[in-house]
Amino acid sequence: MSDNSSASDSELEGIFHDVPICPFDPNVHELDADFRLTRFGDLNERSKKTPKELLTKLMMNIAPREELEAGGEEVEPVPASQQQQQQQQQPLVSGFDISNHGSDVTLKNPLLNDLHLVKTTDFVYPLIDDPYLMGKIACANVLGDLYAKGVVACDNMLMLLAVSTLMSEKERDTIVPMMMRGFKDCAVKAGAHVTGGQSVVNRWCIIGGVATSVCENIEIIGPGNAVPGDVLLLTKPLGTHVALNVHKWMVSEDRKWKHLKNSYAKEDIAKAHDIAVRSMCRLNRTAAQLMHKYGAHGATVIAEYGLVGDAEALAARQQMEVSFSIYNMPVIEKMASVASSCRDVFQLMRGRAPEHSGGLLICLPREEATAFCKEVIELEGPSARAYIIGIVEKGDRTVNLIKPRVIDAKI
């Protein structure tokens, strides 16, 4: 593989220290000049998860009745009202509580004494055109849910890969190994190793994985211990979905870009895209370590449901009667303005815009917040910041977005 095939090693090492990302050049690999990895997965469709209500319905258990019928036994029809009641009470998988949506982590019962098995699964469609960096983003995205539980050490990773049937043989043999290398390198940076996985062919290109950790109780931070007076911290800026979409419009000269190009310079959109890529590649591992040091009371990763949506899921899981009030929104530079110019079709300023490989929303004691933010910069450099965005108050486990002040994230 050529040294300049993607972002170079030196650039990747300095990716969070204002070193520019080298654009992926298809010509270097003898691909068509107009090759775009993002064409193998639609960005709008990638932003959508199965609705929570539908997911709850799908996860309900009707297996016992089916097993009886399969065995040839005669089973009396169940009235519709009783079916609905059974659906509300019986989960498909024993021990799996779908009411805890907002977390993609499965926490098993103790394996041996104080040991627990913590596991998470996630995957993404192509978000950017650089395959190597796309692999890194996919890996960081998988690990995010472990870090939200304060689990710092990942013992094992599996890679999940779907190769698009729409790729030519040349494109497949060039792009897929680069994505796999990016995923593996990110895992190594996280102190983990990819030991296997599964690959299939599919119309859409998909990459993701499974992250597993065997750990003691002390290594896990439960999500539901926020108390009034805590502050809310966010470890990455918002606006990745907006930046990726607008950059795609600009590169493809989409009609939507024509509406924006007189108000925003191409350089500004390219910079926002660069910030988004850096943010998505960045691991939340340091934040997970500091959660233990500074006594965090719970956290979640900001993902498909956006800041408010994922905050609502976290608030609903609190043991005490508290609510979250959000006053600040750190947003990638100019993306708040762009979203407003698009009539907030992204729902960014309502806190509903999806985020990709997003930051952790952490409930932290007020007196520890400043030290936490300072140490993040000391450990990762000035381009890695944590933001104080709100407070925890007495309430009814809801989230209040109170005319938030936009903080431009420029690095």
Side-chain angles (χ1 to χ4, degrees), residues 13-289:
E13 287 299 319
I15 194 168
F16 308 124
H17 300 278
D18 292 328
V19 177
I21 296 174
C22 179
F24 174 71
D25 185 359
N27 293 316
V28 173
H29 307 281
E30 300 179 356
L31 298 176
D32 291 342
D34 62 349
F35 174 86
R36 298 289 182 272
L37 182 59
T38 48
R39 289 177 181 167
F40 298 94
D42 183 82
L43 192 59
N44 291 325
E45 291 301 317
R46 283 201 304 277
S47 70
K48 298 176 182 176
K49 261 194 170 183
T50 305
K52 297 174 185 175
E53 297 78 11
L54 177 58
L55 183 60
T56 301
K57 182 179 179 181
L58 294 174
M59 292 301 297
M60 290 306 121
N61 182 13
I62 58 173
R65 178 181 177 83
E66 292 178 343
E67 289 171 4
L68 288 174
E69 292 174 337
E73 296 187 32
E74 194 172 320
V75 182
E76 294 183 4
V78 179
S81 59
Q82 188 175 341
Q83 286 181 4
Q84 184 177 5
Q85 183 179 7
Q86 289 177 351
Q87 288 178 344
Q88 292 174 348
Q89 295 176 347
Q90 297 180 0
L92 178 63
V93 181
S94 177
F96 185 86
D97 184 3
I98 195 65
S99 66
N100 285 341
H101 51 64
S103 171
D104 292 320
V105 170
T106 299
L107 179 62
K108 297 288 186 181
N109 292 328
L111 299 175
L112 178 64
N113 297 328
D114 194 36
L115 292 179
H116 293 263
L117 175 66
V118 184
K119 181 183 292 187
T120 180
T121 304
D122 212 336
F123 64 87
V124 291
Y125 298 86
L127 298 166
I128 61 174
D129 290 318
D130 187 307
Y132 178 79
L133 293 179
M134 187 60 243
K136 290 176 70 73
I137 291 168
C139 184
N141 185 60
V142 172
L143 290 165
D145 286 297
L146 282 188
Y147 296 145
K149 297 298 179 289
V151 177
V152 176
C154 176
D155 297 314
N156 184 61
M157 292 198 77
L158 303 176
M159 186 187 304
L160 304 177
L161 182 66
V163 180
S164 175
T165 55
L166 301 180
M167 285 184 176
S168 68
E169 185 176 344
K170 173 64 176 176
E171 291 169 342
R172 180 198 65 198
D173 293 347
T174 301
I175 299 302
V176 172
M178 295 172 68
M179 294 175 65
M180 295 175 69
R181 178 187 161 214
F183 191 100
K184 179 182 176 182
D185 286 355
C186 182
V188 170
K189 186 174 182 180
H193 295 282
V194 180
T195 60
Q198 178 67 283
S199 62
V200 296
V201 291
N202 181 50
R203 177 182 174 85
W204 296 277
C205 181
I206 300 172
I207 184 168
V210 181
T212 306
S213 180
V214 177
C215 49
E216 300 178 349
N217 272 333
I218 196 172
E219 299 176 76
I220 304 170
I221 297 176
N225 299 309
V227 299
D230 281 353
V231 298
L232 300 173
L233 294 183
L234 185 63
T235 64
K236 293 185 183 182
L238 305 168
T240 54
H241 190 64
V242 179
L244 295 176
N245 268 287
V246 176
H247 185 266
K248 182 179 179 181
W249 298 345
M250 181 184 74
V251 172
S252 63
E253 297 184 349
D254 188 278
R255 59 180 179 81
K256 296 172 186 154
W257 171 244
K258 295 178 182 178
H259 171 70
L260 298 170
K261 67 179 183 179
N262 292 329
S263 302
Y264 302 96
K266 288 187 175 183
E267 292 78 9
D268 291 334
I269 303 302
K271 181 180 178 182
H273 183 266
D274 181 68
I275 294 173
V277 172
R278 294 165 187 262
S279 177
M280 293 186 295
C281 287
R282 179 184 158 214
L283 293 167
N284 282 309
R285 192 180 188 211
T286 297
Q289 293 171 328

Side-chain angles (χ1 to χ4, degrees), residues 283-318:
L283 293 167
N284 282 309
R285 192 180 188 211
T286 297
Q289 293 171 328
L290 296 181
M291 284 168 60
H292 288 275
K293 180 176 180 178
Y294 292 104
H297 292 151
T300 190
V301 64
I302 305 303
E304 287 85 351
Y305 297 120
L307 174 63
V308 171
D310 287 310
E312 287 173 341
L314 182 63
R317 302 185 68 180
Q318 298 310 307

